Amino acid sequence: MLELKGLSYQVEDGGAATEILKGIDLTVSDNKFIVITGPNGGGKTTLAKTIMGINQPTGGQILWNGTDITNLTITERAKLGISYGFQQPPRFKGMRIRDMLGLAAGNRNLTRDECCSYLNRVGLCAADYVDRELDASLSGGEVKRIEIASILARPSGLLILDEPEAGIDLWSFAKLTETFRILHAKRESTIIVISHQERIIDLADEIVMVSGGKVVRHGPKEELMAHILADTAGSCNFLQAVTCHTKEG
């Protein structure tokens, strides 16, 4: 179980403090698929990075399975089974993709078939990628899918993915959503995805709406979608916003 208690995060800007997360309280039960959504600039990515330890909170507490991880490093959190996928994954010149997958799997020497299995699950033709380097020759969408494959290779109790659909073509996106569906069906991990994409939101057990640094709504998908549509009636509705965001991305 993931518990956030009064979680806050602020940054200094020209001597003035800007509060980005404002006392967030949130409980996520085991093996749930949670989608965090909301307007751009609302604090979604900051929240995800703070859970992972990339940002150090300025207030509040983070508990993972009853353990206080508020002050733990990223490495310490990773050892507890927490994984994170970036909007813009890093590249590692000189590192082969198969080596990256092996590191993610616990520094194991994966077989070629094992590597290919992970790559196929994110829509990549494994034979074309397994021995390539993670360098500038890869497109942003390719690097994104390879990162997600590495997350799948690593046993994790909590998966946090920041807009995994970004930069991915429609065919690969269909493969990715099916992978999420299968992963969730196993009920072995808690999955938190930041997304505006309707097809990903449709996989969720619960939706968390974040706006202005706060959780403004949290509940079952069916219940919350009705609230979202009602709240935005007469203006640019949620599904239109999803479409606009997808086209811009």
Side-chain angles (χ1 to χ4, degrees):
M1 177 181 291
L2 177 68
E3 299 172 86
L4 310 181
K5 299 183 178 182
L7 193 66
S8 300
Y9 177 72
Q10 64 181 32
V11 295
E12 298 291 330
D13 184 13
T18 300
E19 197 171 22
I20 300 176
L21 301 180
K22 304 174 181 178
I24 287 181
D25 293 310
L26 179 66
T27 298
V28 177
S29 299
D30 289 341
N31 304 326
K32 292 289 187 180
F33 193 121
I34 306 296
V35 170
I36 298 176
T37 193
N40 291 333
K44 303 182 300 297
T45 293
T46 299
L47 176 59
K49 287 183 175 180
T50 305
I51 295 170
M52 186 67 235
I54 299 168
N55 296 331
Q56 184 61 37
T58 51
Q61 192 176 28
I62 306 171
L63 301 176
W64 171 238
N65 291 333
T67 299
D68 188 341
I69 65 170
T70 310
N71 297 312
L72 296 188
T73 65
I74 298 172
T75 300
E76 290 168 331
R77 296 180 201 215
K79 288 179 179 178
L80 291 176
I82 302 175
S83 296
Y84 187 91
F86 290 87
Q87 279 189 35
Q88 298 179 332
R91 301 168 189 265
F92 302 96
K93 185 177 180 180
M95 176 180 285
R96 295 182 304 171
I97 291 168
R98 68 185 305 163
D99 296 330
M100 175 72 168
L101 293 172
L103 284 172
N107 205 22
R108 291 197 296 117
N109 186 20
L110 295 178
T111 66
R112 188 179 182 86
D113 285 346
E114 287 176 312
C115 292
C116 290
S117 173
Y118 292 122
L119 293 170
N120 285 332
R121 288 167 69 183
V122 295
L124 292 175
C125 181
D128 295 336
Y129 289 91
V130 68
D131 290 314
R132 286 182 65 178
E133 290 188 7
L134 271 166
D135 57 18
S137 68
L138 296 168
S139 71
E142 288 172 321
V143 175
K144 185 83 171 183
R145 281 177 281 172
I146 292 163
E147 181 193 49
I148 294 171
S150 71
I151 291 172
L152 296 177
R154 183 177 181 274
S156 301
L158 175 60
L159 307 178
I160 306 170
L161 301 168
D162 191 356
E163 297 195 28
E165 70 272 16
I168 294 180
D169 61 79
L170 290 176
W171 183 84
S172 297
F173 177 62
K175 288 279 290 182
L176 191 62
T177 53
E178 181 59 22
T179 296
F180 289 159
R181 192 187 308 278
I182 293 170
L183 192 63
H184 183 41
K186 293 180 179 179
R187 299 285 173 173
E188 295 175 348
S189 302
T190 299
I191 304 170
I192 297 177
V193 180
I194 296 173
S195 183
H196 299 273
Q197 244 294 342
E198 184 182 0
R199 287 175 64 181
I200 291 181
I201 292 172
D202 193 51
L203 298 174
D205 298 309
E206 300 173 7
I207 298 173
V208 177
M209 286 284 296
V210 174
S211 180
K214 299 178 180 180
V215 173
V216 294
R217 290 193 185 278
H218 175 206
K221 173 187 62 182
E222 297 78 9
E223 176 185 317
L224 204 58
M225 281 301 293
H227 280 297
I228 291 169
L229 293 173
D231 288 347
T232 55
S235 60
C236 180
N237 67 40
F238 179 72
L239 296 182
Q240 287 174 327
V242 169
T243 302
C244 291
H245 179 87
T246 303
K247 289 180 179 178
E248 290 172 359

